[in-house]
Amino acid sequence: MAPTTKDIDITNRLFVWHPMRRIAGTACICLLLAGCATQPRDNLITSEDDPQIRDVMSQAIELVATRYIDPIGREQIVVNALDGLTTIDPEIRIGMTPDELVLGYNGKTIKSLALPAANSEEQDTFLWTELTLKGVGIYRAYSSELRQANALTVQSALVSGSIRNLDRYSRYEGPNQAETARTRRDGYIGVGVRLIGGDGYPVVKKVHESSPAAKAGLNIGDQLISVNGINLYNKPTGYAADLLHGEEGTRVAIEINAANSKAITPIEIMRERVINRTVFAQFRNNVLIARIASFNSATAQSLGDEILKADLHPGGLRGVILDLRGNRGGLLQQGVEVADLFIAGGPIANTRSRVMAARHVFNADAEDLTRGAPLAVLIDGRTASSAELVAAALQDRNRAVLIGSTSFGKGSVQAINDLSNKGTLTFTWSRMTAPSGYTFDRIGLFPSICTTSDDIDPFEQVKSALAHREDMVSVMTKWRALDYQDELTRRNLRNVCPARQLADETDIDVAFELIKNLSSYKDLAQLPHHEIADTFASQ
């Protein structure tokens, strides 16, 4: 099964010799493994699960070798993968010489396997996959824990091991975890209720806003008696939920015992795609306050709808407060589309990578949906990834004033790859840059108004920011020129406005104070950032 990719983020027990280094041969391996077995066994144990393991590992090896942001050889991926088996049996050890893969168990060398010939090219993933599978078979002959492990456990150990030493945003999710993550990103087909179980019938715990269930009048506390004629008494909630899911546009017949009622009511509901709400808006003094919790496939559309509704109020839309505090990111494209709502043409961001498919240039269309209304963006120490992309684009384009504290600093992009076992392999494949060309990875974003001092009232916060405007420009200039690998300078700059994780009303009050004082807003929004490179669009 071919992998699919979506856009939307050491020390171990290995001893690995680089293929270019000369060593004294396998004798060194034996010493490090506390002695070689006197009579190594050549037997290996196969399993009916091996074809699926082969498919999954073939995908994992090829994906990591060709798409991870930094080059990594297939031999290292295989060593890491087999070392991942230590999560099943800690007695497993793995090493590598320039010519061989050395398998150890219980302190002894049990087998040495020849590496694929150098002239086979590392592109031949088949050879490395078969080597991995052979290693698993040999370890089964020695490890009862590995023999007893089910297929998904072995796959998880191998795939998780293959990315163990990459970066903290790379991960493997098994089929169940992956399905939960897909639902969070893209929604699911159903009626839009969450159930809880116990003795008797499942009970509605949550009704998603604007879902088919909400339109049909279901409420929290209602009992679900049956689905399509199947009685649900003492049935697991997962069983009931599966019955409610189905093809989009199909109907499902249910029976409900409403809370505080003895009557059983039959209802027919049309299944639709249900996507979790991520935009929470309120309208106060002709200012739209929109909190975005994360970025899923409906976020930009939902925010756009809220802007249009706000503009219909008497007096129209006089400002927007975009609250990105605590937002850890989500789908990259949705972050781009949210920024696009406020920018009339020109660059939003780009992504840089050794992988051609991961390089993107994002530009805004010609319309600012708010027609230039004053915009304040709230950030804190948990604002990350796609949320930082939005804030960075709006700050760099002089479109918004950032308020709060230094953000998290996750400027990397993860590719989400579907595997043949319905799990997903996620790893970093590019880094984001703001319109002015700087990367905010590990450094984060610096706000124009730092609100880490809670004892200052909103008017004084704005006044202080204006008074220290030149200092702010100096910090931002250093910020954009920073080599993100310069740890000392990075820490010092972040300490100018330390990251915090407290979403209180202070930042919103400061934003209101700024929006009502248009001259102050313009002074802080128009900070002289580095000029946007003319070559940006061609990168």
Side-chain angles (χ1 to χ4, degrees):
M1 178 178 176
T4 60
T5 303
K6 302 177 183 177
D7 281 329
I8 58 343
D9 254 32
I10 302 177
T11 303
N12 60 28
R13 288 175 283 200
L14 295 181
F15 50 93
V16 179
W17 285 261
H18 191 280
M20 297 304 293
R21 296 178 185 169
R22 296 182 179 274
I23 63 171
T26 309
C28 298
I29 305 284
C30 296
L31 291 174
L32 286 169
L33 284 171
C36 294
T38 54
Q39 293 181 338
R41 293 181 285 178
D42 292 327
N43 59 307
L44 106 177
I45 297 176
T46 60
S47 166
E48 62 182 10
D49 300 321
D50 284 351
Q52 189 181 53
I53 294 173
R54 178 182 288 108
D55 288 345
V56 170
M57 282 309 301
S58 177
Q59 285 184 278
I61 293 169
E62 183 67 13
L63 284 167
V64 175
T66 60
R67 296 195 171 197
Y68 184 61
I69 190 168
D70 297 317
I72 178 170
R74 286 167 176 77
E75 75 282 358
Q76 185 64 64
I77 298 170
V78 169
V79 170
N80 290 346
L82 288 173
D83 186 64
L85 296 176
T86 59
T87 59
I88 298 174
D89 186 342
E91 296 300 327
I92 289 173
R93 292 291 187 276
I94 180 74
M96 187 172 65
T97 74
D99 304 309
E100 295 180 319
L101 200 63
V102 183
L103 310 185
Y105 188 78
N106 197 23
K108 298 179 180 179
T109 298
I110 58 174
K111 188 70 175 176
S112 295
L113 302 175
L115 297 176
N119 61 6
S120 69
E121 297 186 354
E122 289 194 340
Q123 304 308 318
D124 196 346
T125 295
F126 171 79
L127 296 177
W128 294 101
T129 303
E130 292 305 305
L131 185 65
T132 305
L133 206 63
K134 189 171 184 179
V136 172
I138 292 171
Y139 278 131
R140 283 197 191 108
Y142 290 84
S143 170
S144 60
E145 289 92 341
L146 185 56
R147 290 195 297 273
Q148 294 166 10
N150 63 41
L152 286 178
T153 299
V154 176
Q155 292 165 34
S156 176
L158 290 169
V159 179
S160 296
S162 71
I163 58 173
R164 175 179 292 177
N165 299 334
L166 299 187
D167 61 70
R168 58 177 172 166
Y169 303 118
S170 298
R171 64 189 181 277
Y172 167 74
E173 292 177 312
N176 291 336
Q177 290 175 302
E179 183 59 31
T180 299
R182 290 186 193 103
T183 298
R184 189 168 58 247
R185 291 191 305 268
D186 303 322
Y188 66 94
I189 307 301
V191 302
V193 294
R194 186 180 300 170
L195 303 172
I196 54 174
D199 294 335
Y201 292 100
V203 175
V204 175
K205 180 182 179 182
K206 179 179 180 180
V207 180
H208 287 274
E209 186 176 340
S210 301
S211 68
K215 296 170 187 174
L218 271 66
N219 295 292
I220 295 173
D222 291 350
Q223 286 184 318
L224 184 60
I225 306 301
S226 72
V227 176
N228 287 336
I230 300 174
N231 190 282
L232 297 178
Y233 187 78
N234 279 344
K235 292 291 196 299
T237 55
Y239 176 76
D242 287 342
L243 292 176
L244 292 173
H245 294 172
E247 295 295 323
E248 189 169 7
T250 60
R251 294 185 178 276
V252 58
I254 67 174
E255 290 182 316
I256 290 292
N257 177 209
N260 303 317
S261 172
K262 295 181 179 180
I264 295 178
T265 305
I267 302 174
E268 191 175 76
I269 303 178
M270 181 83 75
R271 294 183 176 102
E272 298 176 3
R273 180 167 294 280
V274 179
I275 303 176
N276 288 334
R277 181 183 178 190
T278 58
V279 178
F280 303 86
Q282 56 178 298
F283 197 62
R284 192 191 310 170
N285 298 330
N286 288 94
V287 173
L288 175 66
I289 306 170
R291 179 174 69 85
I292 301 180
S294 62
F295 292 88
N296 66 17
S297 59
T299 300
Q301 180 66 52
S302 298
L303 180 59
D305 290 344
E306 294 293 346
I307 292 172
L308 292 175
K309 284 193 297 184
D311 202 31
L312 295 176
H313 281 76
L317 181 65
R318 297 181 180 175
V320 177
I321 299 173
L322 191 61
D323 190 351
L324 299 179
R325 295 174 298 178
N327 186 322
R328 306 307 296 269
L331 296 178
L332 171 65
Q333 184 62 41
Q334 286 292 307
V336 170
E337 291 180 21
V338 165
D340 193 4
L341 295 174
F342 303 97
I343 299 174
I348 292 175
N350 73 352
T351 55
R352 295 176 179 172
S353 175
R354 73 182 179 99
V355 182
M356 183 63 69
R359 300 173 190 169
H360 298 286
V361 175
F362 300 106
N363 290 294
D365 63 25
E367 182 185 11
D368 173 355
L369 200 59
T370 69
R371 299 190 299 278
L375 173 62
V377 178
L378 312 185
I379 62 173
D380 69 359
R382 297 181 72 237
T383 303
S385 193
S386 300
E388 287 179 292
L389 177 145
V390 173
L394 296 175
Q395 184 183 51
D396 257 21
R397 296 295 308 279
N398 296 327
R399 182 61 189 87
V401 175
L402 270 53
I403 298 171
S405 75
T406 295
S407 63
F408 182 81
K410 180 184 178 297
S412 59
V413 181
Q414 283 65 50
I416 304 171
N417 305 276
D418 294 327
L419 300 179
S420 59
N421 66 354
K422 297 186 178 180
T424 56
L425 176 58
T426 299
F427 52 78
T428 300
W429 75 334
S430 66
R431 286 193 176 87
M432 294 180 271
T433 60
S436 58
Y438 82 100
T439 177
F440 46 87
D441 196 34
R442 302 183 69 183
I443 180 67
L445 308 177
F446 183 73
S448 299
I449 302 180
C450 180
T451 58
T452 54
S453 299
D454 294 327
D455 56 342
I456 304 177
D457 68 38
F459 176 79
E460 292 297 328
Q461 292 270 19
V462 174
K463 182 179 177 182
S464 176
L466 289 168
H468 295 89
R469 188 175 182 278
E470 295 306 316
D471 294 334
M472 191 188 315
V473 171
S474 176
V475 171
M476 287 186 174
T477 300
K478 295 175 182 177
W479 202 281
R480 283 159 174 74
L482 175 72
D483 176 353
Y484 73 94
Q485 295 179 319
D486 183 345
E487 292 290 338
L488 179 60
T489 304
R490 182 182 70 87
R491 284 197 302 269
N492 289 339
L493 284 174
R494 284 179 61 85
N495 284 335
V496 174
C497 181
R500 68 169 188 172
Q501 300 177 15
L502 181 62
D504 57 23
E505 285 292 311
T506 301
D507 293 353
I508 292 178
D509 293 339
V510 172
F512 265 107
E513 181 65 35
L514 182 67
I515 288 173
K516 77 179 185 182
N517 189 337
L518 197 56
S519 62
S520 297
Y521 166 79
K522 289 180 178 179
D523 279 346
L524 292 175
Q526 298 295 325
L527 289 174
H529 307 310
H530 285 312
E531 183 177 355
I532 299 171
D534 293 335
T535 57
F536 181 92
S538 63
Q539 291 176 352

